Amino acid sequence: NAGVTQTPKFQVLKTGQSMTLQCAQDMNHEYMSWYRQDPGMGLRLIHYSVGAGITDQGEVPNGYNVSRSTTEDFPLRLLSAAPSQTSVYFCASTPPGVADTQYFGPGTRLTVL
Amino acid sequence: GESVGLHLPTLSVQEGDNSIINCAYSNSASDYFIWYKQESGKGPQFIIDIRSNMDKRQGQRVTVLLNKTVKHLSLQIAATQPGDSAVYFCAEKTGGGNKLTFGTGTQLKVEL
C-alpha cells in the first residue's frame, strides 16, 4: 500500500452525526484522493488533491468535505451522515516521479444507521 | 469480464493453471491502464500497469495485454496459486491529471 494509513478501520454512525476519516502518508506524495466502494460498483472518486492547499471535487462529492493543510494529511469529513454514505472508503496517493499510479490505504468501513 | 451490477463475474481455475481476466474499457482516448488486486477486507493492491503506446507488458507471473482496436484489456496470471484468490479490477486514465475510472471487478477463485 506504499505506506498510506487510514483511521479508523471501522465506524458506525447515526444519521445526522458528523465525523472525520483520516488519511496520512509520510513519503511526500503530492496527489491524494478519496474513493468510496459499494457492492457491485467500481471505486468512485469523491475528492482529490494535487498538493497542499489544493483540493477539487471528484465524481461523487456531495455530503463530503476535504482539506489539505499539509502534504501528509488528507482528511475526509462527513458533516451530517446519511444511510446512503454507508460504504467502504479508501484513500490513495501517488508518489512523486510516478505520474499516474495510485496506491491505496487499507480502507475504512462506515455504517450509517 | 467485468460488468456493472450487484454480482461480480467469477472465474474459477485450478491451482497451477493459467488465469485470464478480461476488462472492456470505455474511452478510446484513455492512455494509461492499471490492474489492481483486492483481497477481502483489504485495500486495492497495484499489480501491473501499461500505457497506450504498448500492447503487452510482463511482470512477475503476470502479463497485461492491451488491444486498443476493441478497447480490451486482459490480465494473465501464470501458474495460479491459492494466494491469487481475490477480486481483480482494471482502471483507466484519460487525459491529464491522475483521475482513474475503475471497473467493477472479477472474482478469481483458485481451486485446489
Side-chain angles (χ1 to χ4, degrees):
Chain A
N1 293 333
V4 180
T5 62
Q6 289 184 241
T7 57
K9 193 169 179 60
F10 301 96
Q11 183 70 49
V12 179
L13 293 177
K14 295 181 179 178
T15 297
Q17 287 185 315
S18 62
M19 80 157 296
T20 299
L21 280 65
Q22 301 292 343
C23 175
Q25 48 81 21
D26 60 0
M27 293 165 290
N28 202 31
H29 293 184
E30 295 179 345
Y31 183 90
M32 298 184 73
S33 53
W34 276 102
Y35 294 86
R36 59 178 289 172
Q37 186 176 42
D38 301 293
M41 302 183 71
L43 288 158
R44 292 183 292 169
L45 181 65
I46 304 172
H47 285 284
Y48 67 97
S49 169
V50 299
I54 306 169
T55 64
D56 208 344
Q57 296 181 346
E59 178 186 357
V60 288
N62 292 341
Y64 307 95
N65 284 345
V66 292
S67 60
R68 187 91 180 271
S69 57
T70 66
T71 300
E72 293 77 20
D73 300 296
F74 190 42
L76 178 71
R77 298 185 184 86
L78 284 71
L79 298 179
S80 180
S84 61
Q85 294 178 305
T86 295
S87 188
V88 182
Y89 291 86
F90 290 101
C91 179
S93 69
T94 299
V98 180
D100 302 311
T101 306
Q102 293 187 31
Y103 296 94
F104 287 83
T108 294
R109 183 174 293 275
L110 175 67
T111 301
V112 183
L113 303 175
Chain B
E2 300 184 8
S3 62
V4 176
L6 294 178
H7 301 287
L8 291 178
T10 299
L11 174 66
S12 295
V13 299
Q14 293 290 322
E15 181 181 6
D17 287 351
N18 297 333
S19 303
I20 300 176
I21 301 170
N22 297 305
C23 175
Y25 63 92
S26 57
N27 194 329
S28 58
S30 294
D31 57 4
Y32 178 71
F33 306 88
I34 310 176
W35 277 101
Y36 286 94
K37 170 187 180 183
Q38 188 174 23
E39 297 174 277
S40 180
K42 296 184 178 180
Q45 177 185 358
F46 171 87
I47 302 174
I48 192 168
D49 59 0
I50 188 169
R51 298 203 176 273
S52 58
N53 60 353
M54 303 173 68
D55 297 323
K56 178 180 180 179
R57 191 170 187 211
Q58 289 183 293
Q60 187 177 15
R61 274 200 315 121
V62 295
T63 300
V64 55
L65 298 177
L66 176 62
N67 185 331
K68 293 180 287 294
T69 302
V70 295
K71 293 188 289 186
H72 183 267
L73 194 67
S74 68
L75 176 70
Q76 301 178 1
I77 304 174
T80 310
Q81 303 169 359
D84 294 327
S85 293
V87 174
Y88 291 81
F89 53 89
C90 66
E92 61 183 296
K93 187 183 80 71
T94 306
N98 293 63
K99 292 183 183 179
L100 297 174
T101 300
F102 291 84
T104 55
T106 296
Q107 175 79 55
L108 176 64
K109 294 185 177 180
V110 181
E111 299 171 348
L112 304 177

